[in-house]
Amino acid sequence: MAKAHILVVEDEPDILDLLQYNLEEEGFQVTTAVTGEDAVYKAMTLHPNLILLDLMLPGIDGFDVCRTLKGDHKTAGIPIIMITAKGEESDIISGLELGADDYITKPFRPKILIARVRSVLRRQSAAVNKDNAPKAIANLFIDPARVDVKVDNQSVSLTATEFHILNFLANHPGWVFTRSQIIDSIKGSDYPVTDRSVDVQIVGLRKKLGSAGHMIETVRGIGYRFREE
Ligand code: CA
């Protein structure tokens, strides 16, 4: 398999060196950029497999880079992992809503970083359209075509909205979604959903799922994700 090519965007030299060193140790090909402009240019010309993007950059910042790349069909498919300062939940939410795929907070442990990179690359290669395929995840079974959910082989009766939320999250294990991304995903469903009511839906959903309820994880301050196996 060819080496995955990673574009690392970070203006702090020490962190950039650390990222580059650890990624190269793991066999990745690394290109670096220290400004947002340079990041956009290199992403457009080199088409890396993944971008590690610091949000706080001089000139155009990481949000602008993310917006530009996710808004251009040539680069929209390149996964982006944001690098953020600890405790900046609002930045993480903004980034996810601009289309970033995941995030890691500084300071990070290299092992965690590498695991995150591999996981996003894996998701990318598995991201074929399987939204309607039946899924079995541990003791949970979801059949979207039949709108059927079973836990330990017992049918679970969900509302349309609960089903949409479960199926949406389960289609992207490991991905964190903000409440408004979850709402967007179920537009067209006939149930009115507000930010707050997403929380209520999740509470109800977990309860009905019983022993499988823990698969829907709360990401504090950000939103929800389906547990990655
Ligand atoms: Ca920075």
Side-chain angles (χ1 to χ4, degrees), residues 39-51:
V40 170
Y41 174 74
K42 284 177 173 159
M44 300 254 176
T45 51
L46 302 172
H47 291 99
N49 299 103
L50 183 144
I51 300 170

Side-chain angles (χ1 to χ4, degrees), residues 49-115:
N49 299 103
L50 183 144
I51 300 170
L52 270 174
L53 176 65
D54 182 32
L55 289 179
M56 295 302 129
L57 297 167
I60 69 166
D61 65 15
F63 297 105
D64 291 329
V65 172
C66 194
R67 192 179 290 115
T68 304
L69 296 179
K70 290 295 181 183
D72 187 312
H73 70 98
K74 293 189 293 297
T75 49
I78 305 172
I80 295 178
I81 301 179
M82 303 176 275
I83 305 170
T84 69
K86 206 172 185 167
E88 301 292 339
E89 277 90 4
S90 59
D91 283 356
I92 295 170
I93 289 174
S94 305
L96 289 172
E97 287 173 358
L98 285 173
D101 299 83
D102 204 346
Y103 63 91
I104 187 158
T105 52
K106 288 190 239 190
F108 49 82
R109 302 218 323 270
K111 268 191 174 169
I112 303 285
L113 168 83
I114 298 296

